[in-house]
């Protein structure tokens, strides 16, 4: 499930249109010690249109994305122009690369 936390138009990203800052919950990363949450991910409208199929009436609590948005601004980050599923897959790959490896045990 995802929630749009903030929408903004930035001159440096004018080609892609507004930036949709979202939080995503309920993810399942097999074998990673994570809580299944992405606090912040920036997407284009085209990406969300290709990914979101319906609005949910659910009143689920989402994390505050303001810290992630601030880090993103400081890093002058880009935005995802792929589907949400593809972006989550990419994020999982990056987390797997950064996760400490288990000792072999032999």
């Amino acid at each position: 499930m995802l929630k749009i936390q903030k929408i903004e138009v930035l001159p440096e990203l004018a080609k892609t249109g507004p930036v949709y800052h979202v939080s995503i919950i309920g993810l399942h990363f097999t074998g990673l010690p994570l809580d299944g949450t992405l606090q912040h991910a920036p997407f284009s409208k085209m990406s969300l249109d290709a990914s979101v199929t319906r609005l949910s009436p659910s009143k689920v609590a989402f994390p505050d994305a303001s810290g992630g948005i601030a880090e993103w601004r400081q890093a002058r980050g880009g935005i995802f122009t792929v589907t949400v599923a593809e972006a989550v897959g990419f994020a999982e790959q990056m987390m797997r690369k950064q996760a400490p490896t288990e000792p072999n045990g032999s």
Side-chain angles (χ1 to χ4, degrees):
M1 189 177 296
L2 69 79
K3 178 180 181 181
I4 298 171
Q5 301 278 29
K6 181 178 181 114
I7 302 170
E8 64 182 333
V9 177
L10 300 170
E12 61 270 24
L13 296 172
K15 283 183 173 181
T16 55
V19 178
Y20 290 77
H21 299 280
V22 304
S23 295
I24 305 171
I25 61 171
L27 299 170
H28 301 285
F29 300 116
T30 303
L32 288 173
L34 301 169
D35 67 356
T37 300
L38 287 178
Q39 175 191 14
H40 171 253
F43 284 93
S44 69
K45 181 179 185 316
M46 178 186 71
S47 294
L48 290 181
D49 286 346
S51 303
V52 177
T53 57
R54 65 184 172 86
L55 295 175
S56 173
S58 179
K59 300 291 184 198
V60 177
F62 279 81
D64 179 8
S66 60
I69 294 170
E71 287 178 29
W72 175 82
R73 282 193 186 120
Q74 185 176 14
R76 297 178 186 242
I79 63 172
F80 287 110
T81 57
V82 297
T83 66
V84 171
E86 290 170 312
V88 168
F90 174 75
E92 181 178 8
Q93 286 177 355
M94 294 297 101
M95 287 184 272
R96 287 193 186 285
K97 287 181 182 178
Q98 295 173 1
T101 57
E102 291 291 321
N104 184 317
S106 25

